[in-house]
Every structure is written in structure tokens, then in C-alpha cells.
């Protein structure tokens, strides 16, 4: 039988899923319960559940933070997230971690059963995630369209302003990673030209300009507040080539990183 885990800090919410789920029908053991993500991570490591129901709005560690840790560690686990009606941002973010379904509270029995049926179909088919969010089906290949459909539905809820804000937040959190206009345009289902225009209208600069600005500000902060070598700082802010990083820094601040670091050390009395 398959194993399941329900993560929600509200006991009535856990009980509702327990009561509504047709566990025996789908060959699922009575689910285990966790009231917080830290406990859930330990339970997942020990029991390796096949299906996890996750409330996205949790104290201490949010559902997104949990997914960041749990999804890569448990690539064969199917995650079904649960949240409120006004939290589409959580839904959009959860898609990055291969979430199969996003259920809205209050949970309806028919929606829960549909989610369970889909999850069990995938488990029976021996499907795996090739990369986060991309399920490879060995049977019932038409199901592969579901993820893209859900993604598009959530993206359609966002305004252009929200999309730009989302991209800015993503860049600020992932500035050390490779970030491309192609990747962002595919994620939001916009053409590169349209996305570039929207971003510039809302942010006052281009996407790559914003990436550089974010990286340079972080590099300056690291050079001022740490003893890290310039080569290390370069990698920390997304530059594999130290020389290129130095040239960009010089263009941005008027001095090379080595000069900036020396000036800062003199000012700080180091």
C-alpha cells in the first residue's frame, strides 16, 4: 500500500482531509500527520511517503521553504498543496517544485478524490520527475498536459505589474544563478519582446540591467562586510569569470573590486 502524510498546523484541517479521503479505495495506508514542517521533514526521511498533502501557510517554516528542502530530497514523492482562495502566489511558486495539484480550502470531497486518483495513477504507472515540475508518464501520457494547464491558469491570474514584481523578487533571491530572458518568458508564457517591454515600463530598466544592479549591490555589500576573496565574491554573485566581474564592477562603481576592498579596509582601519 502507498504511504501518505498530511502537514497542517490546524488539527481540524488535518481531520477534514483524513475524513474525506477514500484511502482504502486507492490503496493508501491511513495517513500520518505533522503539525509543522520541521517534524514533517524528519518523518519524510524516516518513512518516505508516496503522497504528501502540504498546507502552504505554516508558521516557522512555510510550505515553499519546505518544498525547497523536501522536493529535491524526495523526487518520487507526489506533493499536493493546500491553501486559501487568495494565495495564488503560493500556487505559482509551488509549481516550481513539481506539485501535482493545488487544492483550495475548504477542501471538497470530489476535488480531493480527483487528486488522489491522479496521484495513484502516477504511482501505479511508475512515473518519475525528470526535473522538478516535469512528470514523465510511462502510461496515460495525456495526463502530462495537466501541469501546463494548471500553470497557465495561475499565471492568468497575475497582472503585468505582478509579473514584473515576481521577476524582481526572483532575481533578488536567485541573483547567483544563471538568469535568462528566454527562461523567464517561457515561465510566464510571454514573448521575450513583450516581457522586456512590460518590465522596462514597470521597473524603469531592462531585465538584464536589473540583474546586474542586484549583483553589483550584493558584491559591494560582500566586499565591505566580509573578508572573502574577490574570486569568491564573483562566484557568489553569479560571475564565473573574475576578470569579467571586475570589469563590470569598475564600470558600475568607478573602481576595481580590489581597489574598492583596499579603500574600504583603510576606512575601516583594518
Amino acid at each position: 500500500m502507498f504511504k501518505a502524510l498530511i502537514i497542517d498546523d490546524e488539527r481540524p484541517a488535518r481531520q477534514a482531509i483524513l475524513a474525506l479521503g477514500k484511502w482504502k479505495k486507492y490503496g493508501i495506508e491511513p495517513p500520518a500527520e505533522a503539525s509543522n514542517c520541521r517534524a514533517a521533514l524528519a518523518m519524510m526521511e524516516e518513512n518516505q511517503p508516496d503522497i504528501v498533502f502540504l498546507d502552504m501557510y505554516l508558521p516557522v517554516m512555510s510550505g515553499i521553504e519546505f518544498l525547497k528542502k523536501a522536493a529535491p530530497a524526495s523526487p518520487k514523492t507526489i506533493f499536493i498543496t493546500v491553501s486559501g482562495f487568495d494565495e495564488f502566489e503560493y500556487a505559482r511558486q509551488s509549481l516550481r517544485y513539481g506539485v501535482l495539484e493545488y487544492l483550495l480550502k475548504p477542501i471538497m470531497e470530489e476535488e480531493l478524490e480527483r487528486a488522489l486518483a491522479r496521484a495513484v495513477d502516477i504511482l501505479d504507472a511508475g512515473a518519475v520527475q525528470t526535473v522538478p515540475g516535469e512528470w514523465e508518464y510511462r502510461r496515460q501520457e495525456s495526463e502530462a498536459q495537466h501541469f501546463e494547464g494548471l500553470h497557465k491558469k495561475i499565471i492568468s491570474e497575475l497582472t503585468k505589474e505582478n509579473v514584473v514584481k515576481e521577476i524582481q523578487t526572483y532575481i533578488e533571491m536567485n541573483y547567483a544563478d544563471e538568469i535568462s530572458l528566454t527562461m523567464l518568458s517561457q515561465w510566464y508564457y510571454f514573448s521575450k519582446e513583450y516581457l522586456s517591454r512590460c518590465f522596462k515600463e514597470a521597473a524603469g530598466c531592462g531585465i538584464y540591467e536589473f540583474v546586474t544592479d542586484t549583483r553589483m549591490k550584493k558584491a559591494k555589500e560582500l566586499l565591505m562586510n566580509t573578508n572573502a576573496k574577490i574570486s569568491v565574491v564573483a562566484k557568489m554573485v553569479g560571475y564565473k569569470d573574475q576578470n569579467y566581474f571586475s570589469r563590470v564592477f569598475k564600470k558600475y562603481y568607478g573602481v576595481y573590486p580590489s581597489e574598492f576592498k583596499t579603500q574600504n579596509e583603510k576606512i575601516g582601519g583594518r
Side-chain angles (χ1 to χ4, degrees), residues 171 174-179 207-220 222 229-253 257:
I171 291 170
N174 300 277
Y175 56 85
D177 298 335
E178 184 176 343
I179 298 172
I207 290 175
Y208 288 120
E209 291 176 78
F210 188 83
V211 172
T212 301
D213 182 72
T214 302
R215 287 174 170 174
M216 289 299 103
K217 286 178 179 176
K218 186 61 179 178
K220 182 179 179 182
L222 289 168
K229 294 181 178 179
I230 294 169
S231 59
V232 174
V233 171
K235 291 178 181 178
M236 290 175 71
V237 297
Y239 293 94
K240 297 178 182 178
D241 187 330
Q242 179 183 335
N243 291 330
Y244 179 67
F245 163 71
S246 295
R247 290 197 300 271
V248 175
F249 192 93
K250 170 76 159 54
K251 185 177 180 180
Y252 213 82
Y253 291 113

Side-chain angles (χ1 to χ4, degrees), residues 75-114:
K76 294 183 179 180
T77 297
I78 293 175
F79 294 92
I80 298 171
T81 54
V82 182
S83 197
F85 284 100
D86 60 347
E87 292 166 345
F88 276 95
E89 162 56 13
Y90 282 120
R92 192 195 65 74
Q93 289 191 53
S94 70
L95 289 172
R96 296 177 182 169
Y97 301 99
V99 168
L100 183 70
E101 291 275 2
Y102 187 87
L103 303 180
L104 297 176
K105 292 181 178 181
I107 300 239
M108 307 300 290
E109 184 174 357
E110 58 270 21
E111 292 179 351
L112 177 59
E113 181 164 9
R114 185 185 69 242

Side-chain angles (χ1 to χ4, degrees), residues 182-200:
T182 298
M183 174 192 76
L184 295 172
S185 67
Q186 290 175 347
W187 179 255
Y188 288 99
Y189 295 95
F190 290 156
S191 70
K192 289 188 285 186
E193 294 75 15
Y194 180 72
L195 184 59
S196 294
R197 187 167 65 251
C198 289
F199 191 94
K200 194 159 189 176

Side-chain angles (χ1 to χ4, degrees), residues 13-253:
R14 299 197 304 271
Q15 290 180 323
I17 296 176
L18 282 170
L20 293 174
K22 297 179 180 178
W23 312 107
K24 188 175 181 180
K25 174 181 176 180
Y26 291 104
I28 303 171
E29 296 177 0
E33 298 178 54
S35 60
N36 62 75
C37 290
R38 295 192 186 282
L41 285 171
M43 293 173 72
M44 286 195 66
E45 186 176 351
E46 182 178 351
N47 300 317
Q48 290 295 307
D50 302 289
I51 304 170
V52 171
F53 290 87
L54 171 67
D55 181 29
M56 296 302 288
Y57 193 72
L58 291 167
V60 184
M61 182 188 296
S62 71
I64 291 297
E65 291 174 309
F66 174 83
L67 286 170
K68 287 180 181 179
K69 296 176 180 291
S74 304
K76 294 183 179 180
T77 297
I78 293 175
F79 294 92
I80 298 171
T81 54
V82 182
S83 197
F85 284 100
D86 60 347
E87 292 166 345
F88 276 95
E89 162 56 13
Y90 282 120
R92 192 195 65 74
Q93 289 191 53
S94 70
L95 289 172
R96 296 177 182 169
Y97 301 99
V99 168
L100 183 70
E101 291 275 2
Y102 187 87
L103 303 180
L104 297 176
K105 292 181 178 181
I107 300 239
M108 307 300 290
E109 184 174 357
E110 58 270 21
E111 292 179 351
L112 177 59
E113 181 164 9
R114 185 185 69 242
L116 285 173
R118 290 198 67 245
V120 171
D121 280 346
I122 293 170
L123 292 168
D124 283 340
V128 296
Q129 287 194 76
T130 54
V131 297
E134 293 187 11
W135 289 96
E136 178 186 308
Y137 294 89
R138 295 178 184 156
R139 295 206 307 259
Q140 299 180 343
E141 292 183 1
S142 62
E143 288 284 344
Q145 302 302 316
H146 172 81
F147 180 86
E148 184 177 358
L150 179 59
H151 190 170
K152 287 181 177 178
K153 176 184 176 184
I154 293 168
I155 294 302
S156 69
E157 300 288 333
L158 300 173
T159 65
K160 288 189 294 185
E161 291 75 16
N162 283 337
V163 167
V164 171
K165 192 177 294 184
E166 280 295 305
I167 291 174
Q168 288 176 308
T169 300
Y170 177 80
I171 291 170
E172 288 167 351
M173 294 177 64
N174 300 277
Y175 56 85
D177 298 335
E178 184 176 343
I179 298 172
S180 71
L181 180 57
T182 298
M183 174 192 76
L184 295 172
S185 67
Q186 290 175 347
W187 179 255
Y188 288 99
Y189 295 95
F190 290 156
S191 70
K192 289 188 285 186
E193 294 75 15
Y194 180 72
L195 184 59
S196 294
R197 187 167 65 251
C198 289
F199 191 94
K200 194 159 189 176
E201 288 174 356
C205 65
I207 290 175
Y208 288 120
E209 291 176 78
F210 188 83
V211 172
T212 301
D213 182 72
T214 302
R215 287 174 170 174
M216 289 299 103
K217 286 178 179 176
K218 186 61 179 178
K220 182 179 179 182
E221 179 184 328
L222 289 168
L223 290 168
M224 289 179 64
N225 300 316
T226 73
N227 292 318
K229 294 181 178 179
I230 294 169
S231 59
V232 174
V233 171
K235 291 178 181 178
M236 290 175 71
V237 297
Y239 293 94
K240 297 178 182 178
D241 187 330
Q242 179 183 335
N243 291 330
Y244 179 67
F245 163 71
S246 295
R247 290 197 300 271
V248 175
F249 192 93
K250 170 76 159 54
K251 185 177 180 180
Y252 213 82
Y253 291 113

